Each structure stands twice: as structure tokens, then as C-alpha cells.
Amino acid sequence: QVQLVESGGGLVQPGGSLRLSCAASGSIFSIYTLGWYRQTPGKQRELVASITRGGSTNYADSVKGRFTISRDNAKNTVYLQMNSLNPEDTAVYYCNALIATAPRFPWGQGTQVTVSS
């Protein structure tokens, strides 16, 4: 079973940047479209960015132009570069492989991102 480990979160001031990483056990991760989700208390987990095996990307309107998703298949890792962060980006961020828009594997522990002055 693939295990997902997210890292890179933290506390950042509005306008700041963070780079999240998600490492997966097992090479099977590389065959999937990969995505980053986020969740805040009381809300559903939402998909904010995805990247296909071929490198095509898609973003939620709320992060378009500020976030960049990338992947390194050799390292079974997906990244999320987050710039111009604002308090509304505060959430726990998770990665997963996607089947259509549905998550493929059990969720990891996520990484907390807090945007606050």
C-alpha cells in the first residue's frame, strides 16, 4: 500500500511563500495524475492543484497564478510552490494520486499551513 508523507508547511506572513513536498512510497505513484488538496475545519477537502503524468496542470480559481504544482517521478514526489499567500490559504494540505478527481490512496497526515501576521 502506498504511503504519503507531506512536509514543508509552517507559519508564514501574508504575502509570503512556502514549498510543500509529498513523498510516496512505491514507484506506482508516478503513473498517476497527482494532486494537492486542502482542508479547513468544518469544510470539505478541496482539490487545489493537479498535474498529469505528462505535466499538464490544473488549478482551482482561488490559487491560480499563485500556486505551482510540479512533480519528480524519479523521486516519487510532488511539490506545491505557494506564493503570495493570504490568510484564506490557511489549511492542512494533503497530496494524493487521482482517479478522475477522486483520491486513490489512503490519506497521509497532511502538513499545516498557517498564514498570519
Side-chain angles (χ1 to χ4, degrees):
Q1 184 67 286
V2 172
Q3 292 184 317
L4 305 173
V5 180
E6 299 92 348
S7 62
L11 173 63
V12 63
Q13 291 187 339
S17 299
L18 284 174
R19 188 191 193 210
L20 306 183
S21 299
C22 171
S25 60
S27 60
I28 194 172
F29 199 56
S30 64
I31 72 173
Y32 291 97
T33 292
L34 304 176
W36 280 97
Y37 296 74
R38 67 186 181 188
Q39 187 172 27
T40 54
K43 292 188 176 181
Q44 280 192 324
R45 204 167 300 191
E46 64 166 338
L47 179 65
V48 297
S50 62
I51 183 167
T52 67
R53 283 191 299 170
S56 296
T57 58
N58 197 35
Y59 299 93
D61 288 343
S62 58
V63 307
K64 202 171 292 184
R66 300 187 298 120
F67 289 11
T68 302
I69 188 171
S70 61
R71 64 192 292 168
D72 186 335
N73 290 334
K75 295 182 178 179
N76 297 316
T77 302
V78 60
Y79 305 98
L80 187 68
Q81 176 68 43
M82 305 187 296
N83 299 327
S84 302
L85 286 162
N86 59 60
E88 290 69 38
D89 296 316
T90 296
V92 180
Y93 284 72
Y94 303 85
C95 71
N96 214 314
L98 277 66
I99 301 294
T101 60
R104 173 63 180 83
F105 298 114
W107 295 104
Q109 83 288 350
T111 186
Q112 175 71 49
V113 171
T114 303
V115 185
S116 175
S117 54

